[in-house]
Amino acid sequence: TKDNKAVIGDRNYYYSIKKNLKEALGGQAIIVKDGKPFEKPEFNAARNPRTAVGIKADGNVFFITVDGRQDPYSSGISYDDLASLMIDYGAVSAIDLDGGGSATCLSRRPGEDILELVNSPSDGNERSVANSWLVVSTAVPDHTFDNAFVEPYDETFTPGSTIQFTARGRDKSLSYAPVPVSGLEWELSDKSFGSIDSNGKFISSGKTGELQVMLKYNGKTAGSSTIEIQNPD
């Protein structure tokens, strides 16, 4: 809306607020309403590539793109599962946008300056589309180190693994910034999980569970990653 509030609604809702809209885009179905699954279209109800946008209770907005039609890499997602996925991520309302070959997501990878294709469109290439959502940061890049993106990020490893962690430097706009050559220190949230050296090499003690791997700069946490150590089921 013109007062920078994200909203999702049906045709009647659109007509009631359209004079206060700044930007708008149509979707296939409102799949989540009031935190619960809502509409489920019969058309293309089976698993397909899909893109959805959700709004959380605090007003924050997020997008999810699921690839499909590419067995065994990905067979897509049904409307039921997409609604459940959006709710799992905190959506109180969510709408399914155009899917199939139009399900395309470009993003600026952490610590990078350019947009890249980050999913695998089912057409085998980017389809020409009439419209899209573009999320733009208002922060101005200055390429001065502010924080770090730590990798591997949110992954699971087996007990006893040796894992090399790395960090990509970012400025306040999350654009690229060189990582300082001094003042850096790697730490674990729980030392009983193993050890990590000054170069970011972690050696698991064999203990299972979740822990945080943190990169500190001049004593303050500049970046972190939560990983899981677990036996395969």
Side-chain angles (χ1 to χ4, degrees), residues 26-31 39 41 43-44 49-51 79 95-100:
Q28 309 249 39
I30 298 174
I31 56 175
E39 297 176 333
F43 178 70
N44 277 342
R50 303 189 193 277
T51 295
Y79 280 116
I95 190 167
D96 174 54
L97 303 175
D98 194 13

Side-chain angles (χ1 to χ4, degrees), residues 166-223:
T166 59
R168 296 187 189 183
R170 306 187 294 190
D171 64 14
K172 290 182 179 181
S173 76
L174 305 185
S175 296
Y176 166 77
V179 176
V181 295
S182 62
L184 298 174
E185 184 180 7
W186 291 94
E187 285 189 8
L188 304 177
S189 60
D190 186 339
K191 293 182 179 179
S192 66
F193 278 92
S195 61
I196 190 165
D197 66 16
S198 59
N199 295 315
K201 184 168 75 172
F202 167 71
I203 301 176
S204 165
S205 66
K207 180 179 179 178
T208 58
E210 287 189 350
L211 75 150
Q212 271 195 321
V213 177
M214 300 167 288
L215 178 65
K216 294 198 169 182
Y217 176 55
N218 291 336
K220 296 182 179 180
T221 301

Side-chain angles (χ1 to χ4, degrees), residues 97-167:
L97 303 175
D98 194 13
S102 298
T104 304
C105 180
L106 290 93
S107 180
R108 192 176 67 180
R109 296 181 187 272
E112 301 291 341
D113 291 335
I114 61 172
L115 289 175
E116 298 178 59
L117 180 67
V118 295
N119 77 310
S120 178
S122 60
D123 283 358
N125 54 269
E126 297 169 59
R127 176 184 288 184
S128 297
V129 293
N131 47 39
S132 61
W133 281 113
L134 179 62
V135 182
V136 181
S137 171
T138 56
V140 179
D142 61 10
H143 304 293
T144 299
F145 180 79
D146 179 75
N147 61 81
F149 180 74
V150 176
E151 297 177 292
Y153 181 83
D154 191 24
E155 293 189 22
T156 301
F157 300 90
T158 53
S161 295
T162 297
I163 308 160
Q164 180 63 57
F165 284 86
T166 59

Side-chain angles (χ1 to χ4, degrees), residues 61-84:
V61 177
F62 67 97
F63 293 81
I64 287 182
T65 297
V66 179
D67 287 325
R69 302 176 187 170
Q70 300 173 74
D71 294 333
Y73 159 64
S74 179
S75 58
I77 192 168
S78 67
Y79 280 116
D80 286 339
D81 288 342
L82 182 61
S84 296

